[in-house]
Coordinates of all heavy atoms in Angstrom, one line a residue:
M1 N -33.3 47.5 -22.0 CA -32.7 48.7 -22.8 C -31.3 48.4 -22.9 O -30.6 47.9 -22.0 CB -33.0 50.0 -22.0 CG -32.3 51.2 -22.7 SD -32.4 52.7 -21.8 CE -34.1 53.1 -22.0
A2 N -30.7 48.7 -24.1 CA -29.3 48.6 -24.4 C -28.8 50.0 -24.7 O -29.4 50.8 -25.4 CB -29.1 47.7 -25.5
V3 N -27.6 50.4 -24.1 CA -26.9 51.6 -24.5 C -25.6 51.2 -25.2 O -24.8 50.5 -24.6 CB -26.7 52.4 -23.2 CG1 -25.9 53.7 -23.6 CG2 -28.0 52.8 -22.5
V4 N -25.5 51.6 -26.4 CA -24.3 51.3 -27.2 C -23.3 52.5 -27.1 O -23.6 53.5 -27.7 CB -24.7 50.9 -28.6 CG1 -23.4 50.5 -29.4 CG2 -25.7 49.8 -28.6
L5 N -22.2 52.3 -26.5 CA -21.2 53.3 -26.4 C -20.2 53.2 -27.6 O -19.8 52.1 -27.9 CB -20.4 53.2 -25.1 CG -21.2 53.5 -23.8 CD1 -20.3 53.2 -22.6 CD2 -21.6 55.0 -23.8
P6 N -19.9 54.3 -28.2 CA -19.0 54.2 -29.4 C -17.6 54.1 -28.9 O -17.3 54.4 -27.7 CB -19.2 55.6 -30.1 CG -19.6 56.5 -28.9 CD -20.4 55.6 -28.0
S7 N -16.7 53.7 -29.7 CA -15.3 53.8 -29.4 C -14.8 55.2 -29.3 O -15.4 56.1 -30.0 CB -14.4 53.0 -30.4 OG -14.4 53.7 -31.6
R8 N -13.8 55.5 -28.6 CA -13.3 56.8 -28.5 C -12.9 57.4 -29.8 O -13.2 58.5 -30.2 CB -12.1 56.8 -27.5 CG -11.5 58.2 -27.4 CD -10.2 58.2 -26.5 NE -9.7 59.5 -26.4 CZ -10.0 60.4 -25.5 NH1 -10.9 60.1 -24.6 NH2 -9.5 61.6 -25.4
A9 N -12.3 56.5 -30.7 CA -11.9 57.0 -32.0 C -13.0 57.4 -32.9 O -12.8 58.3 -33.8 CB -11.0 55.9 -32.6
L10 N -14.2 56.9 -32.7 CA -15.3 57.3 -33.5 C -15.9 58.6 -33.1 O -16.4 59.4 -33.9 CB -16.5 56.2 -33.4 CG -16.3 55.0 -34.3 CD1 -17.5 54.0 -34.0 CD2 -16.2 55.3 -35.7
V11 N -15.8 59.0 -31.8 CA -16.3 60.2 -31.3 C -15.3 61.4 -31.5 O -15.7 62.5 -31.9 CB -16.6 60.1 -29.8 CG1 -17.1 61.5 -29.2 CG2 -17.7 59.1 -29.6
T12 N -14.0 61.1 -31.2 CA -13.0 62.1 -31.2 C -12.6 62.6 -32.6 O -12.0 61.8 -33.3 CB -11.8 61.6 -30.4 OG1 -12.3 61.2 -29.1 CG2 -10.8 62.7 -30.2
P13 N -12.8 63.8 -32.9 CA -12.3 64.3 -34.2 C -10.8 64.1 -34.5 O -10.4 63.9 -35.6 CB -12.7 65.8 -34.2 CG -13.8 65.9 -33.2 CD -13.5 64.9 -32.2
A14 N -10.0 64.1 -33.4 CA -8.6 64.0 -33.6 C -8.2 62.6 -34.2 O -7.1 62.4 -34.7 CB -7.9 64.2 -32.3
S15 N -9.1 61.6 -34.1 CA -8.8 60.3 -34.6 C -8.7 60.3 -36.1 O -8.1 59.4 -36.7 CB -9.9 59.3 -34.2 OG -11.1 59.6 -34.9
R16 N -9.1 61.3 -36.8 CA -8.9 61.4 -38.2 C -7.4 61.5 -38.6 O -7.1 61.2 -39.7 CB -9.7 62.6 -38.8 CG -11.2 62.5 -38.6 CD -11.9 63.7 -39.3 NE -13.3 63.7 -38.9 CZ -14.2 63.0 -39.4 NH1 -14.0 62.1 -40.3 NH2 -15.5 63.1 -39.0
A17 N -6.6 61.9 -37.7 CA -5.2 62.0 -37.9 C -4.5 60.7 -37.7 O -3.3 60.6 -38.0 CB -4.6 63.1 -37.0
I18 N -5.1 59.6 -37.2 CA -4.5 58.3 -37.0 C -4.3 57.6 -38.3 O -5.3 57.4 -39.0 CB -5.4 57.5 -36.0 CG1 -5.6 58.2 -34.7 CG2 -4.7 56.1 -35.8 CD1 -6.6 57.5 -33.8
A19 N -3.1 57.4 -38.6 CA -2.8 56.7 -39.9 C -3.4 55.3 -39.9 O -3.3 54.6 -39.0 CB -1.3 56.6 -40.1
D20 N -4.0 55.0 -41.1 CA -4.5 53.7 -41.3 C -5.7 53.3 -40.4 O -6.0 52.1 -40.3 CB -3.5 52.6 -41.2 CG -2.4 52.8 -42.2 OD1 -2.7 53.3 -43.4 OD2 -1.2 52.5 -41.9
Y21 N -6.3 54.3 -39.7 CA -7.5 53.9 -38.9 C -8.7 53.7 -39.8 O -9.0 54.5 -40.6 CB -7.8 55.1 -37.9 CG -9.1 54.8 -37.1 CD1 -9.1 53.7 -36.2 CD2 -10.2 55.5 -37.3 CE1 -10.2 53.5 -35.4 CE2 -11.4 55.2 -36.6 CZ -11.4 54.2 -35.6 OH -12.5 53.9 -34.9
P22 N -9.3 52.5 -39.8 CA -10.4 52.1 -40.7 C -11.7 52.8 -40.3 O -12.6 52.1 -39.8 CB -10.4 50.6 -40.6 CG -10.0 50.3 -39.2 CD -9.0 51.4 -38.9
R23 N -11.8 54.1 -40.3 CA -13.0 54.8 -39.8 C -14.3 54.3 -40.4 O -15.2 54.1 -39.7 CB -12.8 56.3 -40.0 CG -13.9 57.1 -39.3 CD -13.5 58.6 -39.5 NE -14.4 59.4 -38.6 CZ -14.2 59.6 -37.3 NH1 -13.1 59.2 -36.7 NH2 -15.0 60.3 -36.6
T24 N -14.3 54.2 -41.7 CA -15.6 53.7 -42.4 C -16.0 52.4 -41.9 O -17.1 52.1 -41.5 CB -15.4 53.7 -43.9 OG1 -15.0 55.0 -44.3 CG2 -16.7 53.3 -44.6
R25 N -15.0 51.5 -41.8 CA -15.3 50.1 -41.3 C -15.8 50.2 -39.8 O -16.7 49.5 -39.4 CB -14.1 49.2 -41.4 CG -14.3 47.8 -41.0 CD -13.1 46.9 -41.4 NE -13.2 45.7 -40.6 CZ -12.2 45.3 -39.9 NH1 -11.0 45.9 -39.9 NH2 -12.3 44.2 -39.2
A26 N -15.1 51.0 -39.0 CA -15.5 51.1 -37.6 C -16.9 51.7 -37.5 O -17.7 51.2 -36.6 CB -14.5 52.0 -36.9
E27 N -17.3 52.7 -38.3 CA -18.6 53.3 -38.3 C -19.7 52.2 -38.7 O -20.7 52.1 -38.1 CB -18.7 54.5 -39.2 CG -18.0 55.7 -38.6 CD -18.0 56.9 -39.5 OE1 -18.5 56.8 -40.7 OE2 -17.6 58.0 -39.0
Q28 N -19.3 51.4 -39.7 CA -20.3 50.4 -40.2 C -20.4 49.3 -39.1 O -21.6 48.8 -38.9 CB -19.7 49.7 -41.4 CG -19.8 50.6 -42.6 CD -19.1 50.1 -43.9 OE1 -18.3 49.2 -43.8 NE2 -19.4 50.7 -45.0
S29 N -19.4 49.0 -38.4 CA -19.4 48.0 -37.3 C -20.3 48.5 -36.2 O -21.2 47.7 -35.7 CB -18.0 47.7 -36.8 OG -18.1 46.7 -35.8
H30 N -20.1 49.7 -35.8 CA -20.9 50.3 -34.8 C -22.4 50.3 -35.1 O -23.3 49.9 -34.4 CB -20.4 51.8 -34.5 CG -21.2 52.5 -33.4 ND1 -20.9 52.4 -32.1 CD2 -22.3 53.3 -33.5 CE1 -21.8 53.1 -31.4 NE2 -22.6 53.6 -32.2
A31 N -22.7 50.8 -36.3 CA -24.1 50.9 -36.8 C -24.7 49.5 -36.9 O -25.9 49.3 -36.5 CB -24.2 51.5 -38.2
G32 N -23.9 48.5 -37.3 CA -24.4 47.1 -37.3 C -24.7 46.6 -36.0 O -25.7 45.8 -35.8
L33 N -23.9 46.9 -35.0 CA -24.2 46.5 -33.6 C -25.5 47.1 -33.1 O -26.4 46.4 -32.5 CB -23.1 46.8 -32.7 CG -23.3 46.5 -31.2 CD1 -23.5 45.0 -31.0 CD2 -22.1 47.0 -30.4
V34 N -25.7 48.3 -33.4 CA -27.0 49.0 -33.0 C -28.2 48.4 -33.6 O -29.2 48.0 -33.0 CB -26.9 50.5 -33.3 CG1 -28.3 51.2 -33.1 CG2 -25.8 51.2 -32.4
E35 N -28.1 48.1 -34.9 CA -29.2 47.5 -35.7 C -29.4 46.1 -35.2 O -30.6 45.7 -35.1 CB -28.8 47.5 -37.2 CG -30.0 47.0 -38.0 CD -31.3 47.6 -37.8 OE1 -31.3 48.9 -37.6 OE2 -32.3 46.9 -37.9
F36 N -28.4 45.3 -34.9 CA -28.5 44.0 -34.4 C -29.3 43.9 -33.1 O -30.3 43.1 -32.9 CB -27.2 43.3 -34.2 CG -27.2 42.0 -33.6 CD1 -27.4 40.8 -34.4 CD2 -27.0 41.8 -32.3 CE1 -27.5 39.6 -33.9 CE2 -27.0 40.5 -31.7 CZ -27.3 39.4 -32.5
I37 N -29.0 44.8 -32.2 CA -29.7 44.9 -30.9 C -31.1 45.3 -31.1 O -32.0 44.7 -30.5 CB -28.9 45.8 -30.0 CG1 -27.5 45.2 -29.6 CG2 -29.7 46.0 -28.7 CD1 -26.6 46.2 -28.9
R38 N -31.4 46.3 -31.9 CA -32.7 46.8 -32.2 C -33.6 45.7 -32.9 O -34.7 45.5 -32.6 CB -32.7 48.0 -33.0 CG -32.3 49.2 -32.3 CD -32.3 50.5 -33.1 NE -31.9 51.6 -32.3 CZ -31.4 52.7 -32.7 NH1 -31.2 52.9 -34.0 NH2 -31.0 53.7 -31.9
H39 N -32.9 45.0 -33.8 CA -33.6 43.9 -34.5 C -34.1 42.8 -33.5 O -35.1 42.2 -33.8 CB -32.7 43.3 -35.5 CG -33.2 42.1 -36.2 ND1 -34.2 42.2 -37.3 CD2 -33.0 40.8 -36.1 CE1 -34.5 41.0 -37.7 NE2 -33.8 40.1 -37.0
H40 N -33.4 42.6 -32.4 CA -33.8 41.6 -31.4 C -34.8 42.2 -30.4 O -35.0 41.6 -29.3 CB -32.6 41.0 -30.8 CG -31.9 40.0 -31.7 ND1 -31.1 40.4 -32.7 CD2 -32.1 38.7 -31.9 CE1 -30.7 39.3 -33.4 NE2 -31.3 38.3 -32.9
G41 N -35.3 43.4 -30.7 CA -36.4 43.9 -29.9 C -36.1 44.7 -28.6 O -37.0 45.1 -27.9
L42 N -34.8 45.1 -28.5 CA -34.5 45.9 -27.3 C -34.5 47.4 -27.7 O -34.1 47.8 -28.8 CB -33.1 45.6 -26.8 CG -32.9 44.2 -26.2 CD1 -31.4 44.0 -25.9 CD2 -33.7 44.2 -24.9
E43 N -35.0 48.2 -26.8 CA -35.0 49.6 -26.9 C -33.5 50.0 -26.8 O -32.8 49.6 -25.9 CB -35.8 50.3 -25.8 CG -35.8 51.8 -26.0 CD -36.7 52.5 -25.0 OE1 -37.6 51.8 -24.4 OE2 -36.5 53.7 -24.8
T44 N -33.0 50.7 -27.8 CA -31.6 50.9 -27.9 C -31.2 52.4 -28.0 O -31.9 53.1 -28.8 CB -31.0 50.2 -29.1 OG1 -31.4 48.8 -29.1 CG2 -29.5 50.3 -29.2
I45 N -30.3 52.8 -27.2 CA -29.8 54.2 -27.3 C -28.4 54.1 -27.9 O -27.5 53.4 -27.4 CB -29.7 54.9 -25.9 CG1 -31.1 55.0 -25.4 CG2 -29.0 56.2 -26.0 CD1 -31.2 55.5 -24.0
D46 N -28.2 54.8 -29.0 CA -26.9 54.9 -29.7 C -26.2 56.2 -29.2 O -26.7 57.3 -29.6 CB -27.1 54.9 -31.2 CG -25.7 55.0 -32.0 OD1 -24.7 55.1 -31.3 OD2 -25.8 55.1 -33.2
A47 N -25.2 56.1 -28.5 CA -24.6 57.3 -27.9 C -23.6 58.0 -28.8 O -23.1 59.1 -28.5 CB -23.8 56.9 -26.6
L48 N -23.4 57.5 -30.0 CA -22.4 58.1 -31.0 C -22.9 59.5 -31.4 O -22.1 60.4 -31.3 CB -22.2 57.2 -32.2 CG -21.3 57.8 -33.2 CD1 -19.9 58.1 -32.7 CD2 -21.1 56.8 -34.4
P49 N -24.1 59.7 -31.8 CA -24.5 61.0 -32.2 C -24.4 62.0 -31.1 O -24.0 63.2 -31.3 CB -25.9 60.9 -32.7 CG -26.1 59.5 -33.1 CD -25.2 58.7 -32.2
A50 N -24.8 61.6 -29.9 CA -24.7 62.5 -28.7 C -23.3 62.9 -28.4 O -23.0 64.1 -28.1 CB -25.3 61.8 -27.5
G51 N -22.3 62.0 -28.5 CA -20.9 62.3 -28.3 C -20.4 63.3 -29.3 O -19.7 64.3 -29.0
R52 N -20.8 63.1 -30.6 CA -20.3 64.0 -31.7 C -21.0 65.3 -31.6 O -20.4 66.3 -32.1 CB -20.6 63.3 -33.0 CG -19.7 62.1 -33.3 CD -19.9 61.5 -34.6 NE -19.0 60.5 -35.0 CZ -19.1 59.8 -36.1 NH1 -20.1 59.8 -36.8 NH2 -18.1 58.9 -36.3
E53 N -22.2 65.4 -31.0 CA -22.9 66.7 -31.0 C -22.4 67.6 -29.9 O -22.8 68.8 -29.8 CB -24.4 66.4 -30.8 CG -25.0 65.8 -32.0 CD -26.4 65.3 -31.7 OE1 -26.9 65.4 -30.6 OE2 -27.0 64.8 -32.7
M54 N -21.6 67.1 -29.0 CA -21.1 67.9 -27.9 C -20.3 69.1 -28.4 O -19.6 68.9 -29.5 CB -20.3 67.1 -26.9 CG -21.1 66.1 -26.1 SD -20.2 65.1 -24.9 CE -19.7 66.4 -23.7
V55 N -20.3 70.2 -27.7 CA -19.5 71.4 -28.2 C -18.0 71.0 -28.4 O -17.4 71.4 -29.4 CB -19.6 72.5 -27.1 CG1 -18.7 73.6 -27.5 CG2 -21.1 72.9 -27.0
A56 N -17.5 70.2 -27.5 CA -16.1 69.7 -27.7 C -16.2 68.1 -27.6 O -16.1 67.6 -26.5 CB -15.3 70.2 -26.6
P57 N -16.4 67.5 -28.7 CA -16.5 66.0 -28.7 C -15.4 65.3 -28.0 O -15.6 64.2 -27.5 CB -16.6 65.6 -30.2 CG -17.1 66.8 -30.9 CD -16.5 68.0 -30.1
D58 N -14.2 65.9 -28.1 CA -13.1 65.3 -27.4 C -13.3 65.1 -25.9 O -12.7 64.3 -25.2 CB -11.8 66.1 -27.6 CG -11.2 66.1 -29.0 OD1 -11.6 65.1 -29.7 OD2 -10.5 66.9 -29.3
L59 N -14.2 65.9 -25.4 CA -14.5 65.8 -23.9 C -15.6 64.8 -23.5 O -15.9 64.7 -22.4 CB -14.9 67.2 -23.4 CG -13.8 68.3 -23.6 CD1 -14.2 69.6 -23.1 CD2 -12.5 67.9 -22.9
F60 N -16.1 64.1 -24.5 CA -17.1 63.0 -24.2 C -16.4 62.0 -23.3 O -17.0 61.4 -22.4 CB -17.6 62.4 -25.4 CG -18.7 61.4 -25.2 CD1 -20.0 61.9 -24.8 CD2 -18.5 60.1 -25.4 CE1 -21.0 61.0 -24.7 CE2 -19.6 59.2 -25.3 CZ -20.8 59.6 -24.9
F61 N -15.1 61.8 -23.6 CA -14.3 60.8 -22.8 C -13.3 61.6 -22.0 O -13.0 62.8 -22.3 CB -13.5 59.9 -23.7 CG -14.4 58.9 -24.4 CD1 -14.8 59.2 -25.7 CD2 -14.8 57.8 -23.8 CE1 -15.6 58.3 -26.4 CE2 -15.6 56.9 -24.5 CZ -16.0 57.1 -25.8
R62 N -12.7 61.0 -20.9 CA -11.6 61.7 -20.2 C -10.4 61.8 -21.1 O -10.2 61.0 -22.0 CB -11.2 60.9 -19.0 CG -12.3 60.9 -17.9 CD -11.9 60.1 -16.7 NE -12.9 60.1 -15.7 CZ -12.7 59.8 -14.5 NH1 -11.5 59.4 -14.1 NH2 -13.7 59.9 -13.6
M63 N -9.6 62.7 -20.9 CA -8.4 63.0 -21.7 C -7.5 61.7 -21.7 O -7.2 61.1 -20.6 CB -7.5 64.1 -21.1 CG -8.3 65.5 -21.2 SD -8.6 66.0 -22.9 CE -7.0 66.5 -23.4
R64 N -7.1 61.2 -22.9 CA -6.3 60.1 -23.0 C -6.8 58.8 -22.3 O -6.0 58.1 -21.7 CB -4.8 60.4 -22.6 CG -4.2 61.5 -23.5 CD -2.8 61.8 -23.1 NE -2.7 62.4 -21.8 CZ -3.0 63.6 -21.4 NH1 -3.4 64.5 -22.3 NH2 -2.9 64.0 -20.2
D65 N -8.1 58.7 -22.3 CA -8.7 57.6 -21.5 C -9.9 57.1 -22.3 O -10.4 57.7 -23.2 CB -9.1 58.1 -20.1 CG -9.4 57.0 -19.1 OD1 -9.5 55.8 -19.5 OD2 -9.5 57.3 -17.9
I66 N -10.4 55.9 -21.9 CA -11.6 55.3 -22.6 C -12.8 55.5 -21.7 O -13.9 55.0 -22.1 CB -11.4 53.9 -23.0 CG1 -11.1 53.0 -21.7 CG2 -10.3 53.7 -24.0 CD1 -11.2 51.5 -22.0
H67 N -12.7 56.1 -20.5 CA -13.8 56.3 -19.7 C -14.5 57.6 -19.9 O -13.8 58.6 -20.3 CB -13.4 56.2 -18.2 CG -12.8 54.9 -17.8 ND1 -11.5 54.6 -17.9 CD2 -13.5 53.8 -17.4 CE1 -11.3 53.3 -17.5 NE2 -12.5 52.8 -17.2
L68 N -15.8 57.7 -19.7 CA -16.5 58.9 -20.0 C -16.1 60.0 -19.0 O -15.8 59.7 -17.8 CB -18.0 58.7 -19.8 CG -18.7 57.8 -20.8 CD1 -20.2 57.6 -20.4 CD2 -18.6 58.3 -22.2
S69 N -16.1 61.2 -19.5 CA -15.8 62.3 -18.6 C -17.1 62.7 -17.8 O -18.2 62.1 -18.1 CB -15.4 63.5 -19.5 OG -16.5 64.0 -20.2
H70 N -17.0 63.6 -16.9 CA -18.3 64.1 -16.3 C -19.3 64.6 -17.3 O -20.5 64.3 -17.2 CB -17.9 65.1 -15.2 CG -17.2 64.6 -14.0 ND1 -17.6 63.7 -13.2 CD2 -15.9 64.9 -13.6 CE1 -16.7 63.4 -12.3 NE2 -15.7 64.1 -12.5
A71 N -18.8 65.4 -18.2 CA -19.7 65.9 -19.2 C -20.3 64.8 -20.1 O -21.5 64.8 -20.4 CB -18.9 66.9 -20.1
G72 N -19.5 63.8 -20.5 CA -20.0 62.7 -21.2 C -21.0 61.9 -20.5 O -22.0 61.5 -21.0
A73 N -20.7 61.6 -19.2 CA -21.7 60.9 -18.4 C -23.0 61.6 -18.2 O -24.1 61.0 -18.3 CB -21.0 60.6 -17.0
R74 N -22.9 62.9 -18.1 CA -24.1 63.7 -17.9 C -24.9 63.7 -19.2 O -26.1 63.5 -19.2 CB -23.8 65.2 -17.6 CG -25.0 66.1 -17.6 CD -24.7 67.4 -17.1 NE -24.9 67.4 -15.7 CZ -24.6 68.3 -14.8 NH1 -24.1 69.4 -15.2 NH2 -24.9 68.2 -13.5
R75 N -24.2 63.8 -20.4 CA -24.9 63.7 -21.7 C -25.6 62.3 -21.8 O -26.7 62.2 -22.3 CB -23.9 63.9 -22.8 CG -24.5 63.9 -24.2 CD -25.3 65.2 -24.4 NE -25.7 65.2 -25.8 CZ -27.0 65.0 -26.2 NH1 -27.9 64.9 -25.3 NH2 -27.3 65.1 -27.5
L76 N -24.9 61.3 -21.5 CA -25.4 59.9 -21.6 C -26.6 59.7 -20.7 O -27.6 59.1 -21.1 CB -24.3 58.9 -21.3 CG -24.7 57.5 -21.5 CD1 -25.1 57.2 -23.0 CD2 -23.5 56.5 -21.1
T77 N -26.5 60.2 -19.4 CA -27.6 60.0 -18.5 C -28.9 60.7 -19.0 O -30.0 60.3 -18.8 CB -27.3 60.4 -17.1 OG1 -26.8 61.7 -17.0 CG2 -26.2 59.5 -16.5
G78 N -28.6 61.9 -19.6 CA -29.8 62.6 -20.2 C -30.5 61.8 -21.3 O -31.7 61.8 -21.4
L79 N -29.7 61.1 -22.1 CA -30.3 60.2 -23.1 C -31.1 59.1 -22.5 O -32.2 58.8 -23.0 CB -29.2 59.6 -24.0 CG -28.4 60.6 -24.9 CD1 -27.3 59.8 -25.6 CD2 -29.4 61.2 -26.0
V80 N -30.5 58.5 -21.5 CA -31.2 57.4 -20.9 C -32.5 57.8 -20.2 O -33.5 57.2 -20.3 CB -30.3 56.7 -19.9 CG1 -31.0 55.6 -19.1 CG2 -29.1 56.0 -20.6
A81 N -32.4 59.0 -19.6 CA -33.6 59.5 -18.9 C -34.7 59.8 -19.9 O -35.9 59.6 -19.7 CB -33.3 60.8 -18.1

């Protein structure tokens, strides 16, 4: 099984304010990675939708950090389970 974690900038709505952030390219790259892994026969969990679906997507990660918060980790373990 593969779990594909998105970049913080893809999950966090505040990243829309980052000047020159290639959001479309980043989303395509993320989707391409997920498809590549699935194409090679691995069961794959894409955590991007789960992070974006949280009541406060900014809280999927710790504040100003790239590590998952407790809420993000709980959401991710629920997907894996």
Side-chain angles (χ1 to χ4, degrees):
M1 175 186 288
V3 178
V4 182
L5 292 174
S7 70
R8 180 183 179 87
L10 281 178
V11 174
T12 305
S15 69
R16 295 185 193 281
I18 300 171
D20 299 325
Y21 177 67
R23 187 173 191 87
T24 300
R25 184 170 160 232
E27 288 178 351
Q28 290 170 345
S29 178
H30 178 87
L33 177 60
V34 171
E35 183 55 36
F36 176 82
I37 295 170
R38 288 180 177 158
H39 176 76
H40 284 83
L42 289 174
E43 184 176 339
T44 308
I45 295 173
D46 178 3
L48 179 57
R52 287 180 173 171
E53 290 168 0
M54 290 181 67
V55 173
D58 287 341
L59 299 180
F60 188 71
F61 293 97
R62 292 181 179 199
M63 295 296 285
R64 297 178 299 282
D65 196 347
I66 60 169
H67 295 90
L68 294 178
S69 67
H70 292 294
R74 175 172 271 175
R75 182 74 174 109
L76 185 61
T77 56
L79 291 174
V80 172

